[in-house]
Amino acid sequence: MVSYKQLTAADFDAVIELGNKVHGDNYLTDESLADYAERGIKDGVNLNWLAFVDGQLAGIRLTFAPGNWELDDHCTPAEWPVAPEQMCYFKCVAVDPDIRGAGIGRGMLERSINEAKKLGCRAGLAHIWMQSPDNAAFEYFTRCGGELIEEHGKRWYDLSVNDGYHCPVCDGICYCSAGEMILRFK
């Protein structure tokens, strides 16, 4: 039985543990998660969701509210179908590897989208990990309706060099690329 709830500070330890299990050591820290959680809330609307199976954390979805994220060198706004002010940013999804395939990722995504729509969002942006095992991240986001805009090399390189992120695919310093993807809301 899957249940969903919005992220609160009481969940941080479990979220960090699962996020790092899926994405690599130091992908989430106390400091980064506190920042991400805050970016996911605007005007009392919380876009961050968790999934539980039998009372155990099974999935996390961290989503930044419109206006709470910055464009960087890995963004191509001229190619986007809507203005950045009308977009949320899908920062992170992680589903426990032992439970994948049960619809948990989609369930959290749908809940984030429903909350984002309350803030006037018409689309969401994501940087999808193109080297995820079996390219599961790209396949998942594509099945959910995501459209590839551009692929950007070394997306998490600075995080691995400057902040101690340990990429599980590159075994340390990260050279993985990100697929800049847009998901239009219906």
Side-chain angles (χ1 to χ4, degrees):
M1 173 89 143
V2 179
S3 62
Y4 298 92
K5 76 172 203 113
Q6 291 171 309
L7 173 70
T8 68
D11 303 302
F12 280 17
D13 288 344
V15 168
I16 290 168
E17 183 179 337
L18 179 58
N20 291 347
K21 176 181 176 181
V22 172
H23 294 292
D25 292 342
N26 291 319
Y27 181 77
L28 293 175
T29 64
D30 291 326
E31 296 77 23
S32 67
L33 183 56
D35 176 48
Y36 298 166
E38 187 175 311
R39 289 173 182 243
I41 299 173
K42 185 173 186 174
D43 299 333
V45 178
N46 186 349
L47 281 64
N48 298 311
W49 284 88
L50 305 176
F52 294 83
V53 173
D54 298 327
Q56 295 295 313
L57 182 65
I60 60 177
R61 158 61 65 198
L62 303 176
T63 304
F64 297 168
N68 288 357
W69 57 279
E70 300 85 29
L71 277 68
D72 61 23
D73 293 341
H74 304 279
C75 294
T76 316
E79 302 296 322
W80 298 348
V82 300
E85 305 81 53
Q86 298 174 314
M87 293 173 52
C88 62
Y89 182 75
F90 298 118
K91 173 62 179 165
C92 169
V93 66
V95 176
D96 188 310
D98 297 330
I99 305 173
R100 287 189 185 139
I104 291 171
R106 184 180 289 269
M108 293 183 299
L109 179 65
E110 289 170 353
R111 285 163 174 78
S112 285
I113 289 170
N114 288 338
E115 295 301 306
K117 286 178 178 179
K118 294 176 184 177
L119 298 172
C121 289
R122 297 178 45 217
L125 176 73
H127 285 95
I128 301 298
W129 184 23
M130 299 301 280
Q131 284 74 35
S132 67
D134 300 321
N135 206 12
F138 179 76
E139 289 181 18
Y140 149 75
F141 207 70
T142 301
R143 279 193 313 272
C144 290
E147 305 166 42
L148 182 64
I149 301 297
E150 188 171 328
E151 192 167 334
H152 301 278
K154 296 168 74 173
R155 173 69 167 109
W156 297 278
Y157 179 82
D158 287 339
L159 185 65
S160 66
V161 170
N162 298 320
D163 295 324
Y165 168 57
H166 183 93
C167 176
V169 171
C170 300
D171 197 26
I173 304 299
C174 186
Y175 293 92
C176 294
S177 60
E180 176 187 3
M181 297 185 77
I182 296 289
L183 178 60
R184 300 173 201 236
F185 300 164
K186 296 176 183 169

